[in-house]
Amino acid sequence: MSRRTRRSALTAALLGLALTVAGCSDGGNTISDQARDGNQEGYVSGDGTVEALPPEERTLTIELSGQTLEGEPWSSSDALGEVLVINVWGSWCPPCVAEAPDLSAAYDHFEQGGDPVQFIGVNDRDSASAALAFEERYEVPYTSLVDDGGETILQLQGMANPRPSTLILDREGRLAARVAGQVSESTLRGLVEDVLEQ
């Protein structure tokens, strides 16, 4: 093995180790840690970290309400008995743009299957007209709540700090899973299907 090949292999191994450590280190920022100590700090890196909790570890109930981009009142209490997917996004956020087709595809999958799943967006730092233009441009099939200066996002109790963030609530309104960063269709479908089966 040449020196260059050995160096490349060592670099790859060290990078893999670093990613493993970064992905596994919780630093008190996991869902269960935050629910226990109430620090509500949440993730800030938006690195795509995926967390899921079994039913017996779901201690955080989220109640979300606000006004949709179309001016209608909306409340998560109306989604009790169903799995609720909450996506926090902004039109200014490149990963939010990148994940929009995946979210739409996941929505269509559950809609066509007749599954008890609802989707709601929570817009951040856009005017209603800019947010509606985004939804039209990317053919987002579900509505979002308007940006109200951060009051709606506060209802998520620090669990959706990066943009984008996706939270999944179980049928009882408890936080069952979250993705801190861009989510793919396959990951989202898998997380929702797991919650549906529990």
Side-chain angles (χ1 to χ4, degrees):
M1 181 183 290
S2 71
R3 177 182 292 176
R4 180 179 219 166
T5 303
R6 281 195 306 270
R7 187 180 311 136
S8 296
L10 178 60
T11 301
L14 289 173
L15 179 58
L17 177 62
L19 290 173
T20 300
V21 170
C24 295
S25 174
D26 59 38
N29 276 334
T30 64
I31 294 172
S32 54
D33 286 340
Q34 289 183 50
R36 269 197 305 273
D37 63 25
N39 65 21
Q40 300 180 0
E41 291 173 355
Y43 283 92
V44 293
S45 62
D47 59 1
T49 299
V50 177
E51 286 189 90
L53 290 173
E56 64 273 13
E57 294 181 19
R58 296 174 191 163
T59 59
L60 182 63
T61 299
I62 290 179
E63 297 177 2
L64 179 65
S65 62
Q67 181 176 312
T68 68
L69 295 172
E70 294 77 20
E72 299 294 327
W74 184 92
S75 173
S76 61
S77 62
D78 296 331
L80 291 175
E82 299 182 298
V83 174
L84 178 61
V85 177
I86 302 169
N87 178 254
V88 184
W89 63 279
S91 66
W92 43 267
C93 157
C96 301
V97 174
E99 74 173 4
D102 291 275
L103 285 158
S104 295
Y107 172 90
D108 290 340
H109 168 79
F110 293 114
E111 184 75 8
Q112 291 167 10
D115 296 299
V117 179
Q118 283 194 39
F119 279 60
I120 187 73
V122 177
N123 182 251
D124 183 29
R125 293 188 287 174
D126 281 316
S127 65
S129 59
L132 283 167
F134 177 95
E135 289 192 343
E136 182 176 350
R137 178 176 182 182
Y138 294 101
E139 301 179 346
V140 178
Y142 53 88
T143 192
S144 289
L145 302 180
V146 297
D147 177 18
D148 55 7
E151 288 183 24
T152 301
I153 291 173
L154 283 175
Q155 296 174 54
L156 301 177
Q157 303 182 53
M159 292 295 166
N161 286 344
R163 301 294 166 267
S165 285
T166 302
L167 308 181
I168 300 171
L169 307 188
D170 66 15
R171 298 170 195 261
E172 298 176 33
R174 301 175 303 176
L175 182 61
R178 72 171 172 176
V179 180
Q182 184 175 333
V183 68
S184 68
E185 178 191 357
S186 60
T187 296
L188 183 54
R189 281 176 54 175
L191 290 169
V192 171
E193 285 164 0
D194 285 347
V195 177
L196 280 171
E197 292 170 2
Q198 293 164 346

